Amino acid sequence: MRIVIVGAGEVGKHLSKMLSSEGQNIVLMDSDPKKLSELSHSVEVMTLEGNPRLIDDLERARVKGADLFVAVTPDEATNILSCALAKKIGALHTLARINNPDYLAAEYVDIFGEMGVDRMIYPEELAAREIASTTLNPWARQYVELFNGALTLVGIKVRQGAPILDRPLSELGGEQGHKFYHVVAIKRDLETIIPTGSTRIKHNDLVFFTCTTGHLQELRILTGKPNPLVRKMVIMGASRVATQTIRKLPESLRICLIERDKEKCMRLSEILPSNVEIYHGDGRDPELLDEVGLDDAEVFVALTENSETNILACLAAMRFGVYKTIAKEENIDYIPLAYRLDIGTLINKKILAIGHIYRILLGMETGSVISLSLVNNAEVAEFVVKRGSKIDQQRMSQLRLPGNMTFGGMVRNGVPQMIDGDTVFEPYDHIVIFYHNIPIGELQALFH
């Protein structure tokens, strides 16, 4: 596929790397030659200095006939206008990064669609969704619903004393009587592992499971995690992510919002629901934290624009006895280091945006990929079995699969289930696959 990406910031840069590694034909445009020069040495893409609001520059980028045009500059207006121009020139599909959540409403979607903007992505919305789901499931580091909630992807930090530790996964699966979960990936320090039956879970592993939704509490017990009732949470930083998160949480939850900007505090006090208490001050001030009652909170979320401040604030909150901490970390390259500090859940809007865009691309390319998200360094893809494909009517145990992949589960006729060696695949089975360092083309070949 031929893809034109406008904006050589972190989203554009990492998206270019991901897509070029899959063998896609990428053109990356930016008005800053320095950004392009730095990128051209590390990524196999065609770079082009230009203004995406000018038709001549878009034509030089060979936008006409491009399968996908993605505008992810920091400027919303530039993204919308360049998508409209690209569509007029002849791009087949367009996607714009936006900064205004109101534009996701149906009436705006229709208007922008008529202008030529096929899809819009608001990274703050993706981050808020992630924070809300992990807040309501505080025992999980990551909580993602698959197939509209039929299956759940759960990331859990497993510690000493958990029943699942230091035993072969094949032994654990055999002892259950019915298989309700599958270990799909393990993050061990900086290493990502796609496990086999002989793999053993170790203390401090971050383990990713797929699980049928009705058995989540059994999985929680198996991993030795308590499940505190979340009555109160403290949010530091009244960012757009914070306000979007608050809208997704039940009003029965008491929320304390700390913000340094007094004018912003006054403005938000008029629009936020009554369950939100707003405190003006620095969230790192011990006296303010005592006033807020941080030691009574089950969840602490740090959402300031300074990543270092967020990490340090979460470390401080852990000393107050807060069960769940969530930090926004904006520098993608620092995320592995931040995970080693054992903060809890890390939120990066750019990674979420990249995964969302990649999901759209794969669905366009194959027609069979439903969604995709990133789990540290492992990828998660959902496929539909087509009649007559290589996997149709094949038994799982007979498939010759690469070592760095595993089938996490499936939904058949609306019923979620795990996959074992005796599973025979049928048309219209919805399957979730986890893989690492494997070209997506190898997976797609199974379903063609």
Side-chain angles (χ1 to χ4, degrees), residues 396-448:
M396 179 67 191
S397 59
Q398 296 174 337
L399 294 176
R400 295 181 179 179
L401 301 176
N404 279 356
M405 67 169 291
T406 185
F407 282 36
M410 70 179 189
V411 175
R412 175 176 293 169
N413 298 323
V415 179
Q417 62 188 73
M418 294 293 104
I419 296 171
D420 58 28
D422 294 327
T423 299
V424 177
F425 298 106
E426 300 177 2
Y428 311 113
D429 284 347
H430 291 60
I431 301 173
V432 59
I433 296 178
F434 292 73
Y435 61 101
H436 180 52
N437 287 338
I438 298 175
I440 190 67
E442 291 190 29
L443 304 185
Q444 292 166 345
L446 291 171
F447 296 85
H448 285 174

XYZ file of all heavy atoms in Angstrom, residues 396-448:
422
model
N -6.069 -26.806 15.204
C -5.020 -25.947 15.748
C -3.683 -26.682 15.842
O -2.636 -26.134 15.501
C -5.445 -25.427 17.129
C -4.420 -24.542 17.811
S -4.197 -22.976 16.957
C -2.740 -22.360 17.779
N -3.703 -27.919 16.293
C -2.461 -28.677 16.497
C -1.741 -28.979 15.191
O -0.552 -29.298 15.201
C -2.759 -29.984 17.240
O -3.677 -30.775 16.507
N -2.441 -28.862 14.064
C -1.827 -29.186 12.774
C -1.261 -27.955 12.058
O -0.614 -28.090 11.026
C -2.865 -29.874 11.875
C -3.343 -31.214 12.428
C -4.478 -31.815 11.612
O -5.196 -31.103 10.916
N -4.630 -33.128 11.688
N -1.514 -26.782 12.607
C -1.014 -25.568 11.968
C 0.477 -25.403 12.226
O 0.949 -25.637 13.337
C -1.755 -24.341 12.498
C -3.243 -24.238 12.176
C -3.834 -23.016 12.857
C -3.481 -24.178 10.674
N 1.200 -24.986 11.219
C 2.625 -24.688 11.375
C 2.754 -23.181 11.588
O 2.707 -22.408 10.637
C 3.405 -25.130 10.149
C 3.389 -26.643 9.932
C 4.209 -27.018 8.720
N 4.235 -28.461 8.508
C 4.877 -29.069 7.505
N 5.552 -28.328 6.617
N 4.848 -30.378 7.386
N 2.921 -22.801 12.837
C 2.921 -21.385 13.192
C 4.320 -20.925 13.576
O 5.104 -21.709 14.133
C 1.973 -21.141 14.365
C 0.508 -21.524 14.137
C -0.280 -21.307 15.412
C -0.090 -20.729 12.987
N 4.654 -19.659 13.316
C 5.930 -19.122 13.787
C 6.000 -19.178 15.315
O 4.969 -19.184 16.009
C 5.893 -17.664 13.296
C 4.863 -17.639 12.210
C 3.860 -18.682 12.559
N 7.207 -19.199 15.851
C 7.375 -19.335 17.297
C 6.885 -18.144 18.090
O 6.417 -18.288 19.218
N 6.954 -16.954 17.510
C 6.621 -15.753 18.258
C 5.173 -15.318 18.065
O 4.869 -14.143 17.906
C 7.537 -14.594 17.861
C 8.874 -14.665 18.565
O 9.083 -15.535 19.393
N 9.768 -13.770 18.236
N 4.258 -16.290 18.095
C 2.843 -15.930 18.003
C 2.008 -16.952 18.754
O 2.429 -18.081 18.984
C 2.382 -15.838 16.556
C 2.377 -17.157 15.807
S 1.527 -17.039 14.221
C -0.150 -16.809 14.770
N 0.830 -16.528 19.168
C -0.084 -17.421 19.872
C -1.509 -16.971 19.620
O -1.765 -15.781 19.406
C 0.209 -17.452 21.383
O -0.627 -18.420 22.022
C -0.032 -16.111 22.031
N -2.439 -17.920 19.624
C -3.858 -17.615 19.450
C -4.457 -17.393 20.834
O -4.454 -18.285 21.675
C -4.580 -18.770 18.754
C -4.352 -18.836 17.271
C -3.126 -18.492 16.719
C -5.355 -19.238 16.422
C -2.905 -18.554 15.358
C -5.152 -19.310 15.047
C -3.923 -18.966 14.515
N -5.007 -16.195 21.062
C -5.476 -15.838 22.399
C -6.882 -16.265 22.725
O -7.255 -16.352 23.893
N -7.702 -16.549 21.725
C -9.085 -16.929 21.963
C -9.918 -16.590 20.751
O -9.424 -16.033 19.763
N -11.207 -16.948 20.800
C -12.059 -16.653 19.650
C -13.509 -16.538 20.092
O -13.884 -16.906 21.213
C -11.910 -17.734 18.576
C -12.495 -19.083 18.931
S -12.284 -20.260 17.572
C -13.277 -21.626 18.165
N -14.316 -16.033 19.172
C -15.764 -15.967 19.354
C -16.405 -16.689 18.177
O -16.135 -16.357 17.017
C -16.262 -14.514 19.429
C -17.783 -14.471 19.492
C -15.667 -13.806 20.639
N -17.246 -17.688 18.476
C -17.941 -18.457 17.440
C -19.444 -18.356 17.677
O -19.925 -18.720 18.745
C -17.491 -19.912 17.456
C -18.260 -20.818 16.487
C -17.702 -22.226 16.490
N -16.355 -22.268 15.935
C -15.555 -23.339 16.023
N -15.950 -24.428 16.690
N -14.348 -23.302 15.488
N -20.147 -17.849 16.703
C -21.599 -17.683 16.818
C -21.976 -16.881 18.063
O -22.963 -17.190 18.748
C -22.301 -19.042 16.837
C -22.072 -19.835 15.559
O -22.017 -19.256 14.464
N -21.918 -21.148 15.691
N -21.136 -15.879 18.373
C -21.419 -15.013 19.505
C -20.970 -15.542 20.851
O -21.139 -14.865 21.863
N -20.396 -16.749 20.875
C -19.983 -17.379 22.136
C -18.468 -17.317 22.263
O -17.748 -17.864 21.414
C -20.454 -18.844 22.211
C -19.997 -19.480 23.527
C -21.967 -18.924 22.065
N -17.937 -16.663 23.321
C -16.481 -16.606 23.492
C -15.927 -17.931 23.991
O -16.576 -18.626 24.781
C -16.304 -15.512 24.554
C -17.571 -15.541 25.340
C -18.652 -15.909 24.374
N -14.733 -18.282 23.540
C -14.098 -19.507 24.003
C -12.597 -19.433 23.790
O -12.101 -18.684 22.959
C -14.680 -20.732 23.290
C -14.479 -20.743 21.782
C -15.234 -21.875 21.098
O -16.445 -21.858 20.977
N -14.489 -22.876 20.671
N -11.878 -20.219 24.592
C -10.444 -20.333 24.419
C -10.142 -21.343 23.304
O -11.021 -22.068 22.836
C -9.791 -20.780 25.726
C -9.900 -19.760 26.855
S -8.953 -18.237 26.561
C -10.263 -17.103 26.119
N -8.895 -21.384 22.887
C -8.456 -22.265 21.798
C -7.452 -23.259 22.341
O -6.535 -22.885 23.074
C -7.831 -21.438 20.659
C -8.898 -20.519 20.031
C -7.209 -22.331 19.590
C -8.336 -19.513 19.048
N -7.623 -24.553 22.006
C -6.625 -25.558 22.367
C -6.243 -26.348 21.125
O -6.702 -26.051 20.019
C -7.138 -26.476 23.489
C -8.424 -27.205 23.120
O -8.650 -27.456 21.917
O -9.198 -27.531 24.039
N -5.431 -27.369 21.299
C -4.927 -28.130 20.162
C -6.000 -28.831 19.358
O -5.809 -29.121 18.169
N -7.144 -29.117 19.967
C -8.218 -29.824 19.272
C -9.195 -28.900 18.555
O -10.112 -29.380 17.879
C -8.998 -30.692 20.273
C -8.139 -31.826 20.838
O -7.273 -32.327 20.091
O -8.336 -32.194 22.010
N -9.027 -27.598 18.707
C -9.947 -26.649 18.074
C -9.827 -26.732 16.550
O -8.730 -26.677 15.996
C -9.649 -25.216 18.533
O -9.816 -25.130 19.950
C -10.593 -24.226 17.856
N -10.961 -26.899 15.876
C -11.019 -26.874 14.408
C -11.703 -25.566 13.998
O -12.820 -25.284 14.420
C -11.797 -28.082 13.850
C -11.897 -27.975 12.327
C -11.119 -29.385 14.254
N -11.024 -24.773 13.182
C -11.525 -23.454 12.832
C -12.587 -23.537 11.743
O -12.501 -24.356 10.822
C -10.368 -22.558 12.402
C -9.362 -22.345 13.500
C -8.127 -22.968 13.469
C -9.680 -21.544 14.584
C -7.212 -22.789 14.483
C -8.771 -21.354 15.613
C -7.532 -21.985 15.567
N -13.575 -22.672 11.867
C -14.703 -22.634 10.948
C -14.866 -21.226 10.383
O -14.398 -20.253 10.983
C -15.993 -23.040 11.679
C -15.949 -24.433 12.268
C -17.212 -24.765 13.052
O -18.128 -23.908 13.090
O -17.291 -25.878 13.615
N -15.533 -21.113 9.221
C -15.766 -19.772 8.666
C -16.512 -18.876 9.646
O -17.380 -19.328 10.383
C -16.625 -20.057 7.423
C -16.270 -21.463 7.039
C -16.027 -22.177 8.340
N -16.094 -17.616 9.674
C -16.666 -16.566 10.506
C -16.255 -16.648 11.972
O -16.754 -15.884 12.783
C -18.203 -16.530 10.390
C -18.684 -16.539 8.958
C -19.376 -17.633 8.449
C -18.398 -15.466 8.116
C -19.789 -17.652 7.121
C -18.816 -15.481 6.785
C -19.500 -16.585 6.302
O -19.900 -16.599 4.989
N -15.347 -17.568 12.317
C -14.747 -17.508 13.649
C -13.968 -16.205 13.767
O -13.221 -15.833 12.862
C -13.786 -18.680 13.880
C -14.487 -19.992 14.144
O -15.707 -19.975 14.397
O -13.811 -21.035 14.096
N -14.138 -15.488 14.886
C -13.383 -14.276 15.169
C -12.247 -14.644 16.122
O -12.500 -15.090 17.241
C -14.276 -13.211 15.818
C -15.302 -12.650 14.894
N -16.268 -13.429 14.290
C -15.517 -11.381 14.465
C -17.025 -12.651 13.541
N -16.601 -11.412 13.622
N -11.008 -14.472 15.667
C -9.835 -14.953 16.403
C -8.935 -13.787 16.769
O -8.692 -12.889 15.950
C -9.052 -15.979 15.562
C -9.949 -17.161 15.199
C -7.815 -16.476 16.311
C -9.304 -18.130 14.222
N -8.408 -13.791 18.002
C -7.439 -12.779 18.413
C -6.061 -13.436 18.476
O -5.901 -14.516 19.051
C -7.809 -12.133 19.762
C -7.899 -13.148 20.878
C -6.825 -11.028 20.126
N -5.084 -12.808 17.840
C -3.724 -13.356 17.722
C -2.732 -12.351 18.294
O -2.833 -11.146 18.051
C -3.378 -13.658 16.251
C -4.305 -14.750 15.701
C -1.921 -14.091 16.105
C -4.058 -15.075 14.244
N -1.767 -12.854 19.042
C -0.696 -12.041 19.605
C 0.611 -12.472 18.947
O 0.874 -13.676 18.806
C -0.611 -12.234 21.117
C -1.790 -11.670 21.856
C -3.018 -12.299 21.795
C -1.679 -10.504 22.588
C -4.120 -11.784 22.445
C -2.772 -9.976 23.245
C -3.990 -10.617 23.178
N 1.423 -11.485 18.573
C 2.664 -11.817 17.885
C 3.724 -10.775 18.187
O 3.430 -9.665 18.630
C 2.436 -11.943 16.380
C 1.938 -10.685 15.703
C 2.798 -9.869 14.985
C 0.597 -10.319 15.787
C 2.346 -8.720 14.369
C 0.132 -9.165 15.162
C 1.005 -8.370 14.460
O 0.562 -7.223 13.848
N 4.969 -11.153 17.939
C 6.106 -10.280 18.243
C 7.200 -10.525 17.222
O 7.606 -11.663 16.981
C 6.618 -10.592 19.656
C 7.794 -9.756 20.082
N 7.806 -8.387 20.015
C 9.016 -10.123 20.574
C 8.961 -7.936 20.453
N 9.714 -8.960 20.781
N 7.663 -9.430 16.583
C 8.729 -9.502 15.581
C 8.385 -10.432 14.427
O 9.231 -11.185 13.938
C 10.046 -9.951 16.229
C 10.665 -8.865 17.088
O 10.376 -7.684 16.905
N 11.504 -9.248 18.036
N 7.122 -10.403 13.996
C 6.677 -11.180 12.845
C 5.955 -10.228 11.893
O 5.070 -9.494 12.336
C 5.709 -12.315 13.259
C 6.395 -13.302 14.195
C 5.182 -13.061 12.029
C 5.459 -14.370 14.727
N 6.285 -10.237 10.600
C 5.546 -9.392 9.656
C 4.078 -9.771 9.644
O 3.727 -10.961 9.659
C 6.220 -9.690 8.308
C 7.577 -10.216 8.666
C 7.398 -10.956 9.954
N 3.213 -8.776 9.608
C 1.781 -9.041 9.623
C 1.357 -9.882 8.423
O 0.369 -10.626 8.480
C 0.994 -7.704 9.650
C -0.500 -7.948 9.921
C 1.177 -6.932 8.352
C -0.812 -8.472 11.268
N 2.146 -9.829 7.343
C 1.815 -10.616 6.160
C 1.793 -12.109 6.421
O 1.013 -12.844 5.804
N 2.630 -12.595 7.335
C 2.639 -14.013 7.671
C 1.326 -14.432 8.318
O 0.844 -15.553 8.124
C 3.813 -14.358 8.576
C 5.170 -14.274 7.909
C 6.277 -14.864 8.773
O 5.984 -15.795 9.569
O 7.428 -14.405 8.658
N 0.746 -13.538 9.109
C -0.537 -13.835 9.734
C -1.658 -13.752 8.703
O -2.554 -14.588 8.687
C -0.813 -12.860 10.881
C 0.235 -12.778 11.977
C -0.263 -11.855 13.090
C 0.547 -14.145 12.561
N -1.612 -12.728 7.876
C -2.665 -12.547 6.882
C -2.748 -13.737 5.935
O -3.828 -14.092 5.471
C -2.403 -11.259 6.117
C -2.572 -10.010 6.966
C -1.991 -8.772 6.322
O -1.216 -8.864 5.377
N -2.348 -7.610 6.844
N -1.589 -14.376 5.670
C -1.577 -15.515 4.763
C -2.434 -16.669 5.271
O -2.989 -17.438 4.491
C -0.145 -15.994 4.539
N -2.565 -16.794 6.595
C -3.390 -17.870 7.169
C -4.872 -17.678 6.849
O -5.629 -18.650 6.812
C -3.219 -17.922 8.689
C -1.879 -18.386 9.242
C -1.836 -18.155 10.743
C -1.651 -19.862 8.917
N -5.258 -16.443 6.652
C -6.680 -16.136 6.500
C -7.076 -15.850 5.056
O -8.184 -15.414 4.794
C -7.043 -14.953 7.412
C -6.878 -15.277 8.866
C -5.641 -15.145 9.497
C -7.943 -15.746 9.620
C -5.488 -15.466 10.838
C -7.792 -16.068 10.957
C -6.570 -15.925 11.561
N -6.182 -16.105 4.137
C -6.485 -15.889 2.705
C -6.671 -17.233 2.009
O -6.183 -18.253 2.442
C -5.352 -15.114 2.041
C -5.358 -13.652 2.422
N -4.356 -12.789 2.047
C -6.235 -12.918 3.156
C -4.626 -11.576 2.526
N -5.745 -11.643 3.207
